Amino acid sequence: MEHWTDQGIILAARAHGENGAVASVLTRDHGRHNGYVYGAKSSKMRGNLEAGTWIEIEWTSRVSDQLGQFKFEQGKNSAARMMHDPLKLAALLSACALCDSALPEREGHSAIYHGMMALIETLQTSVWAQSYIMWELAFLKELGFGLDLTRCVAGGDSRTLTYVSPKSGCAVSLKEGYPYREKLLVLPDFLKPEPVWNTMNYPGNETEDESARDIIKGLTLTGYFLQHWVFAHHSQGVPKARERLGSMAVKQFTTAAA
Amino acid sequence: MNKDTSKDGALGHLIKQLAGLPGLGPRSARRAALHLVMRKEDTLRPLAAALNEAADKIQTCPNCGNLDDLSPCRICQDHHRDHGLICVISGVSDLWAIERTGGYRGVYHVLGGILSALDGISIADLSLDLLKSRIEKNSPREIILALPATVDGQATAHVVMDMLSETPVKTSRLAHGMPVGGELDYLDDGTILTAFRARG
């Protein structure tokens, strides 16, 4: 009999039969893992199966290759704290959908688990959008698609990094990148290793317009690499939840910046 | 006589059909089938007639998505109802649940599901265009979103609210919080948290 206990975050749950469900969970030590949940539609269990819920898990199976059965305890529902905010809820759903779609099953990714835990906490702060973009960068890196945003790939000045090459995923300085600016992605200020601080953009002093524009730049940047690198060969493409977050953010932050 | 009937016999075929219904497994299907065939005139023939009638007559209302044998449905045709209030719900079972309360006298709009990546339901699969055209045509006073208090349900509610923000109609959502007869000790933390947020 195979058996382990762990902690995890619910990524998705698909109804199976009348009362059961197959849950996909991002665990701390066992990676993304699926399992059958008996009585998933009971009032006691239903709240635990929402995306983003942190739970204590017990998994049992007769042999290790089988789907196995989950037992959950002590659910901590994160989504309930964000349900009133469309963008934060969309960000949580997007992160869960990305993990569910891109992570191979039963392959340990404790860094992504801890990143998700931190993201869920920061989604309740005012810098949630920047945190989400940084989480996506870390997610790309963990999957082997890390971006190098610390130096200019064309040998330019690393203090004036302004663009990102869509081919290499490396930063490009203003001088080297300007002639090709139409083809390059824009690097948001909060991702620059050495931002040139002045009274206008010193942390806390950014105007709402600048902050909103930076968030759109950041989501466009990570969205490009998710689409062209991570999900390039996925039949389903980028999860709908991520696309929805992108379009909602553009709509809301463009209105804020206007 | 179809293949299934010839293989299992008429009784076996009936049991197989009943076992496919929600709430019935093979054992309960056998009990139900036995009950029906033992009371042919009282139960089986009226049930067969009712099933035939339902198959022939019940259709989806082109206005709101409800199921009825009239088109538009009885609720849409009822002039005593307040047509200035439209309650948006995910499925017909939710409509029945609200009707059971007897406390709502407006009309409905059945979306046909909620956004779900796992079930493959996207924005295009929901009857949002029909809702929009109803709003343009009838200019209702208020749209009430009665969607599930789940992550997918609330994500759907945000999408609908976003779409309705382009129209002048007032939108509202059902409150979340303590259920009637609920004790704090037995509630999950999400419910308690939303109840605190929405306290009055």
Side-chain angles (χ1 to χ4, degrees):
Chain A
M1 195 77 171
E2 300 291 327
H3 173 265
W4 50 254
T5 55
D6 202 344
Q7 298 174 341
I9 300 162
I10 298 281
L11 300 176
R14 180 175 56 248
H16 190 275
E18 279 181 49
N19 297 311
V22 175
S24 171
V25 183
L26 177 63
T27 63
R28 188 186 56 195
D29 302 324
H30 297 84
R32 185 176 73 81
H33 212 290
N34 285 338
Y36 187 79
V37 185
Y38 283 100
K41 290 186 180 167
S42 67
S43 56
K44 186 184 165 195
M45 186 58 75
R46 219 164 16 204
N48 284 343
L49 286 172
E50 293 291 346
T53 304
W54 179 88
I55 26 125
E56 302 254 14
I57 312 160
E58 184 184 345
W59 181 79
T60 48
S61 176
R62 197 171 56 79
V63 287
S64 62
D65 289 348
Q66 284 183 335
L67 176 66
Q69 181 193 336
F70 277 143
K71 278 185 184 167
F72 296 144
E73 272 185 38
Q74 290 187 357
K76 187 179 173 190
N77 192 327
S78 316
R81 289 181 274 177
M82 297 159 211
M83 275 189 182
H84 62 284
D85 190 318
L87 269 177
K88 288 179 182 176
L89 187 63
L92 178 70
L93 286 176
S94 171
C96 289
L98 286 174
C99 289
D100 193 36
S101 312
L103 292 180
E105 207 186 333
R106 303 188 183 194
E107 190 180 290
H109 284 285
S110 60
I112 294 183
Y113 168 80
H114 290 295
M116 272 290 276
M117 290 296 288
L119 175 70
I120 289 169
E121 286 303 314
T122 49
L123 278 177
Q124 291 154 56
T125 67
S126 58
V127 291
W128 69 270
Q130 288 88 340
S131 305
Y132 176 82
I133 292 160
M134 286 178 175
W135 177 84
E136 281 197 341
L137 286 172
F139 183 74
L140 283 165
K141 189 177 177 186
E142 182 70 14
L143 292 176
F145 302 107
L147 309 186
D148 185 358
L149 306 178
T150 57
R151 62 186 177 86
C152 175
V153 70
D157 186 357
S158 63
R159 288 172 302 176
T160 60
L161 297 177
T162 311
Y163 305 104
V164 178
S165 162
K167 281 190 180 170
S168 65
C170 296
V172 185
S173 68
L174 178 63
K175 188 181 168 191
E176 303 299 325
Y178 190 78
Y180 312 99
R181 63 188 180 283
E182 301 291 325
K183 292 179 180 174
L184 297 174
L185 298 158
V186 185
L187 184 65
D189 277 346
F190 66 90
L191 292 178
K192 290 176 183 173
E194 292 180 51
V196 184
W197 301 121
N198 58 36
T199 51
M200 284 302 288
N201 66 2
Y202 194 79
N205 281 359
E206 304 104 324
T207 62
E208 277 190 16
D209 294 8
E210 286 166 349
S211 180
R213 272 195 290 268
D214 258 7
I215 291 163
I216 295 170
K217 283 177 202 168
L219 285 172
T220 310
L221 177 72
T222 51
Y224 179 88
F225 291 108
L226 284 170
Q227 185 185 349
H228 290 87
W229 285 2
V230 179
F231 291 98
H233 301 294
H234 277 235
S235 59
Q236 303 278 320
V238 177
K240 291 275 183 285
R242 174 60 176 84
E243 290 177 355
R244 202 157 51 238
L245 170 68
S247 57
M248 283 170 81
V250 167
K251 194 171 179 183
Q252 178 146 334
F253 290 124
T254 309
T255 316
Chain B
M1 190 180 280
N2 68 33
K3 200 179 170 184
D4 280 333
T5 314
S6 61
K7 190 180 160 195
D8 303 325
L11 190 56
H13 185 54
L14 175 64
I15 292 168
K16 201 179 252 182
Q17 292 296 318
L18 288 172
L21 296 175
L24 292 181
R27 188 185 288 265
S28 44
R30 277 197 295 272
R31 285 174 58 205
L34 195 60
H35 177 88
L36 288 169
V37 294
M38 296 296 282
R39 294 164 182 82
K40 262 189 196 171
E41 298 306 322
D42 297 344
T43 317
L44 185 57
R45 288 198 199 281
L47 177 66
L51 289 173
N52 264 328
E53 190 184 9
D56 291 341
K57 291 184 179 171
I58 291 179
Q59 52 194 309
T60 304
C61 174
N63 193 34
C64 70
N66 186 17
L67 293 174
D68 204 337
D69 52 356
L70 296 179
S71 181
C73 69
R74 285 178 170 78
I75 292 176
C76 287
Q77 287 188 25
D78 189 348
H79 295 294
H80 298 295
R81 283 184 172 263
D82 184 350
H83 287 253
L85 272 180
I86 299 179
C87 181
V88 178
I89 44 182
S90 66
V92 176
S93 60
D94 294 343
L95 184 153
W96 294 342
I98 297 172
E99 282 297 285
R100 278 201 301 272
T101 67
Y104 174 71
R105 296 301 297 164
V107 292
Y108 296 91
H109 187 86
V110 182
L111 280 184
I114 51 172
L115 296 176
S116 169
L118 281 173
D119 298 328
I121 301 176
S122 64
I123 294 173
D125 299 315
L126 305 178
S127 61
L128 290 174
D129 289 339
L130 184 60
L131 176 63
K132 213 169 181 179
S133 65
R134 273 183 85 180
I135 292 168
E136 283 164 7
K137 193 175 158 192
N138 303 331
S139 306
R141 216 171 51 250
E142 184 177 345
I143 303 288
I144 303 167
L145 299 178
L147 295 170
T150 60
V151 170
D152 288 339
Q154 293 309 298
T156 310
H158 290 310
V159 168
V160 178
M161 287 188 99
D162 186 45
M163 185 199 86
L164 296 178
S165 66
E166 298 160 10
T167 64
V169 67
K170 178 191 169 190
T171 54
S172 60
R173 292 157 76 171
L174 291 192
H176 301 161
M178 292 277 289
V180 174
E183 292 181 42
L184 276 174
D185 196 22
Y186 292 96
L187 292 181
D188 63 285
D189 58 352
T191 305
I192 296 172
L193 193 72
T194 45
F196 261 98
R197 282 222 170 104
R199 70 187 183 276

